[in-house]
């Protein structure tokens, strides 16, 4: 008998708790999470954790940090990255491996971040862009190192 | 302002009646004309009402789920429901080949008609009622249970296992919850001593039953809310539809306007149930009065009675909507447990309490 009333009490209490929460949300429209994308494009703020695509930052002298070690290519689980290297003659006459083209297939990338973690010289990062849709798949194949760019001084 | 206050629905109705008697003369013809007019005005009232309820439901749902809801079609999405209706109008009303075609097409009509019939004894404003019959409450509870026949028909004739299951569930549910609704209504009938809707409203002139009747009436009110939510097959008691289990339950096979009729009936039922709840427990069109506060009472009297009625009705509609978006759906066994183990015994004891209270005159 006592159990019967305890059940009723507990049930009513938990139902009221639920209604309190929905009532709170109903009366506090500020809590609304909906983003009215394209309308709020100018003010849109992405979360830090959001990963849009892999990019290679270049500084103002058109220099990047990529040594061409291919660690990212090995780390990538689905062959998104293809690195074509070349041999560069150093001023002292020694040959050195350098990057010729960093090919990145956006259409294959799963934004898993493994390449960024694998890179020993922090040459690539994740960007937050997300409007990637194009009409032709070929446009998704990107070359990340800018034309004429070279490696930064001091990055080994 | 003064002119506005003197024009009420009852004066419009009576002047219309006088005008008709004068121009037509023949009393039978006057009555027939009036019946047609009443039917038409009911239809004219119901369609916008369903638009409003449909919009309200979406917005309430959205806000409770921290969303925005419809906001593209028309200002703040108000025309969304019009767009949906137009879409439904253009859809093909498909009848499955193996179905029982006669029953299949009859079912939505029965469902809509029964839900409209229940509108008859509801007092929309002071002296403004379609039919003030002396067994108003009994009429309401008996007619509203006919709706389940339409649902069973729809489920049976569709030749679809989901429809049939949904209809059977709906049958079990309505048969059980009818009892609790009935007992909750009876407690008010005991206090009023009349089944007539206008008597019930008049008995609340000095305070609504929910205030006058102490805790027992409050318990009946809660039971009425729960059980009538179940009776109109709304979530958390929407086992008859149960999207995740039965696609759409009894109206799985319906499309186009026939589907829209079920939707219409659902919203009319929602309105009717709330209107009856408002009439029985919250005083119908009676303004809110606090005894001995003459000034306050006068201010309250300035609001038209129709506004009071609609306000209370929409308050109950809101609560029922909040139920829908707060609680998860019950399983079939939980549904029956709730009714037979909790609501029914409680309402039985409650009726006895109310009776004792009415006999001893403990209520105000
Ligand atoms: S994010 Fe993942 S899938 Fe994309 S390029 Fe890097 S390792 Fe490959
Ligand atoms: S991006 Fe980093 S890991 Fe990839 S080749 Fe360049 S330096 Fe090596």
């Amino acid at each position: 008998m006592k159990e019967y009333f305890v059940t009723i009490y507990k049930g009513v209490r938990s139902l009221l708790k639920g209604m309190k929460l929905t009532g709170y949300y109903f009366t506090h429209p500020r809590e609304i999470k909906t983003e009215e994308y394209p309308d709020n494009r100018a003010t849109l703020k992405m979360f830090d954790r959001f990963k849009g695509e892999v990019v290679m930052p270049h500084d103002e002298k058109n220099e990047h940090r990529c040594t061409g070690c291919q660690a990212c290519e090995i780390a990538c689980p689905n062959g998104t990255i293809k690195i074509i290297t070349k041999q560069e003659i150093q001023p002292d006459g020694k040959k050195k491996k350098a990057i010729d083209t960093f090919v990145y297939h956006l259409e294959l990338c799963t934004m898993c971040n493994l390449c960024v973690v694998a890179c020993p010289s922090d040459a690539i990062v994740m960007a937050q862009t997300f409007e990637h849709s194009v009409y032709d798949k070929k446009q998704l194949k990107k070359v990340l190192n800018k034309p004429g760019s070279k490696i930064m001084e001091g990055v080994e | 302002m003064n002119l506005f206050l003197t024009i009420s629905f009852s004066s419009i109705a009576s002047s219309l009646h006088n005008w008709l008697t004068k121009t037509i003369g023949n009393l039978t013809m006057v009555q027939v004309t009036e019946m047609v007019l009443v039917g038409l005005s009911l239809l004219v009232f119901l369609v916008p009402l369903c638009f409003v309820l449909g919009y309200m439901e979406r917005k309430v749902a959205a806000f409770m789920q921290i969303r925005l809801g419809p906001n593209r079609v028309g200002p703040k999405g108000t025309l969304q429901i019009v767009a949906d209706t137009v879409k439904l109008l253009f859809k093909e009303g498909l009848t499955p080949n193996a179905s029982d075609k006669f029953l299949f097409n009859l079912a939505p009509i029965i469902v809509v008609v029964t839900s409209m019939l229940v509108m008859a004894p509801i007092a929309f404003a002071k002296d403004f009622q379609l039919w003030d019959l002396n067994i108003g409450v009994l009429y309401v509870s008996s007619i509203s249970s006919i709706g389940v026949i339409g649902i069973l028909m729809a489920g049976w004739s569709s030749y679809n296992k989901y429809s049939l299951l949904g209809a059977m569930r709906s049958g079990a549910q309505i048969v059980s919850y009818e009892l609790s609704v009935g007992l909750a209504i009876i407690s008010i009938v005991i206090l009023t001593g009349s089944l007539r809707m206008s008597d019930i409203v008049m008995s609340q002139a000095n305070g609504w039953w929910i205030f006058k009747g102490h805790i027992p009436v409050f318990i009946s009110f809660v039971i009425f809310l729960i059980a009538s939510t179940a009776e109109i097959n709304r979530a958390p008691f929407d086992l008859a539809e149960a999207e995740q289990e039965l696609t759409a339950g009894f109206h799985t096979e319906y499309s186009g306007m026939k589907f829209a009729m079920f939707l219409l009936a659902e919203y009319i039922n929602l309105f009717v149930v709330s209107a009856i709840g408002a009439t029985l427990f919250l005083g119908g069109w009676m303004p809110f009065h606090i005894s001995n506060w003459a000034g306050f009472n006068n201010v309250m009297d300035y609001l038209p009675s129709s506004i009071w009625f609609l306000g209370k009705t929409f308050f109950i509609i809101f609560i029922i909507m909040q139920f829908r978006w707060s609680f998860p759906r019950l399983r079939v066994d939980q549904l029956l447990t709730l009714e037979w183990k909790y609501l029914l015994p409680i309402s039985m004891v409650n009726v006895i309490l109310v009776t004792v209270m009415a006999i001893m005159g403990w209520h105000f």
Side-chain angles (χ1 to χ4, degrees):
Chain A
M1 198 61 199
K2 192 182 154 219
E3 212 177 299
Y4 181 79
F5 288 107
V6 168
T7 331
I8 293 177
Y9 172 73
K10 277 189 185 156
V12 170
R13 218 182 62 152
S14 76
L15 291 183
L16 286 180
K17 213 175 183 180
M19 285 184 70
K20 198 180 140 201
L21 186 71
T22 46
Y24 173 80
Y25 283 144
F26 184 77
T27 47
H28 291 72
R30 280 154 165 275
E31 300 269 344
I32 288 176
K33 297 280 190 287
T34 311
E35 297 278 355
E36 287 185 271
Y37 180 68
D39 291 356
N40 68 348
R41 227 165 143 192
T43 55
L44 190 66
K45 266 222 176 76
M46 304 303 289
F47 288 98
D48 285 343
R49 62 170 188 269
F50 176 75
K51 303 188 194 84
E53 68 174 316
V54 176
V55 292
M56 184 181 285
H58 287 63
D59 66 4
E60 61 279 0
K61 286 187 283 178
N62 201 13
E63 288 176 345
H64 55 74
R65 297 174 62 87
C66 177
T67 58
C69 70
Q70 294 180 319
C72 52
E73 187 178 344
I74 297 164
C76 181
N78 40 358
T80 309
I81 296 171
K82 201 98 265 120
I83 286 166
I84 302 166
T85 52
K86 60 183 178 197
Q87 297 293 329
E88 248 174 17
I89 315 285
Q90 300 285 91
D92 54 0
K94 274 190 203 156
K95 277 187 183 170
K96 198 187 164 205
K97 193 173 164 192
I99 175 174
D100 180 57
T101 344
F102 188 114
V103 184
Y104 170 61
H105 292 272
L106 179 56
E107 78 271 24
L108 295 177
C109 182
T110 57
M111 319 297 167
C112 67
N113 207 30
L114 287 176
C115 53
V116 176
V117 174
C119 179
S121 48
D122 299 331
I124 44 179
V125 290
M126 278 289 181
Q128 301 222 308
T129 46
F130 60 93
E131 291 167 330
H132 293 314
S133 34
V134 284
Y135 285 105
D136 187 1
K137 191 174 146 191
K138 288 194 192 97
Q139 292 171 18
L140 291 172
K141 178 183 158 190
K142 296 182 177 180
V143 175
L144 292 194
N145 55 328
K146 289 186 186 156
S149 63
K150 44 183 220 307
I151 187 163
M152 249 176 238
E153 290 278 319
V155 177
E156 285 301 321
Chain B
M1 188 66 197
N2 228 343
L3 186 78
F4 173 74
L5 282 177
T6 47
I7 292 178
S8 66
F9 282 111
S10 57
S11 61
I12 295 174
S14 58
S15 58
L16 192 67
H17 175 79
N18 290 339
W19 180 75
L20 278 177
T21 332
K22 237 185 279 167
T23 38
I24 300 180
N26 183 346
L27 263 184
T28 331
M29 281 316 287
V30 170
Q31 250 171 6
V32 170
T33 332
E34 277 178 353
M35 277 177 196
V36 172
L37 278 180
V38 161
L40 279 180
S41 51
L42 196 61
L43 283 180
V44 168
F45 168 68
L46 283 179
V47 172
L49 176 82
C50 289
F51 281 5
V52 169
L53 286 181
Y55 179 68
M56 177 177 165
E57 168 118 85
R58 285 162 171 228
K59 275 291 184 194
V60 168
F63 276 58
M64 284 179 179
Q65 298 175 338
I66 342 182
R67 296 185 284 115
L68 278 173
N71 61 351
R72 296 284 134 159
V73 191
K76 298 247 166 213
T78 35
L79 296 180
Q80 180 67 50
I81 213 90
V82 178
D84 287 353
T85 316
V86 172
K87 185 200 81 174
L88 280 177
L89 276 172
F90 282 114
K91 284 219 170 174
E92 184 187 357
L94 198 79
T95 310
N97 259 342
S99 67
D100 183 334
K101 298 208 172 49
F102 177 66
L103 288 185
F104 186 82
N105 292 318
L106 188 65
I109 301 175
I110 287 194
V111 173
V112 170
V113 168
T114 42
S115 55
M116 282 188 184
L117 278 179
V118 186
M119 288 288 227
I122 293 172
F124 289 95
K126 196 167 193 265
D127 302 324
F128 189 70
Q129 208 170 348
L130 297 185
W131 187 22
D132 189 16
L133 74 174
N134 56 358
I135 48 158
V137 176
L138 186 63
Y139 171 87
V140 166
S141 55
S142 44
I143 294 290
S144 61
S145 49
I146 294 181
V148 70
I149 294 179
I151 292 178
L152 281 174
M153 240 184 218
W156 174 255
S157 61
S158 296
Y159 197 67
N160 177 323
K161 58 188 169 195
Y162 297 126
S163 306
L164 189 59
L165 272 175
M168 290 306 153
R169 284 183 180 188
S170 165
Q173 179 177 330
I174 293 184
V175 166
S176 350
Y177 279 83
E178 193 91 303
L179 297 168
S180 295
V181 174
L183 286 174
I185 291 178
I186 278 179
S187 60
I188 294 298
V189 174
I190 290 169
L191 287 169
T192 320
S194 169
L195 288 164
R196 191 190 286 269
M197 280 287 188
S198 56
D199 286 349
I200 291 176
V201 176
M202 286 319 288
S203 71
Q204 306 182 63
N206 58 345
W208 307 347
W209 277 124
I210 196 154
F211 299 128
K212 284 202 297 180
H214 309 296
I215 294 170
V217 172
F218 185 74
I219 294 176
S220 332
F221 180 59
V222 173
I223 288 174
F224 177 83
L225 275 186
I226 298 172
S228 52
T229 314
E231 257 214 303
I232 55 177
N233 281 329
R234 275 182 69 87
F237 302 100
D238 61 343
L239 286 100
E241 291 163 37
E243 283 119 43
Q244 297 87 339
E245 303 155 25
L246 303 177
T247 49
F250 63 90
H251 55 62
T252 307
E253 294 290 353
Y254 285 87
S255 56
M257 269 335 267
K258 282 180 230 158
F259 169 73
M261 276 164 101
F262 279 114
L263 211 65
L264 190 76
E266 190 189 324
Y267 282 123
I268 300 174
N269 280 335
L270 174 62
F271 179 81
V272 164
V273 156
S274 313
I276 290 174
T279 312
L280 293 180
F281 296 96
L282 303 181
W285 48 261
M286 280 289 171
F288 180 67
H289 280 176
I290 299 176
S291 48
N292 307 333
W293 284 26
F296 178 77
N297 292 351
N298 276 339
V299 173
M300 289 289 149
D301 282 339
Y302 268 107
L303 280 178
S305 53
S306 49
I307 299 282
W308 276 107
F309 173 75
L310 285 179
K312 289 170 195 174
T313 308
F314 272 86
F315 171 70
I316 295 186
I317 290 177
F318 176 78
I319 293 182
I320 293 181
M321 283 184 179
Q322 193 175 2
F323 284 171
R324 175 167 187 174
W325 302 110
S326 304
F327 307 143
R329 181 183 312 123
L330 281 77
R331 279 198 319 263
V332 180
D333 61 320
Q334 289 169 334
L335 179 92
L336 295 178
T337 312
L338 175 67
E339 164 64 15
W340 296 99
K341 268 179 81 180
Y342 295 98
L343 292 187
L344 191 62
I346 292 175
S347 45
M348 277 172 164
V349 174
N350 200 44
V351 165
I352 295 173
L353 277 180
V354 170
T355 318
V356 171
M357 206 168 74
I359 293 171
M360 308 298 266
W362 282 338
H363 59 87
F364 297 116

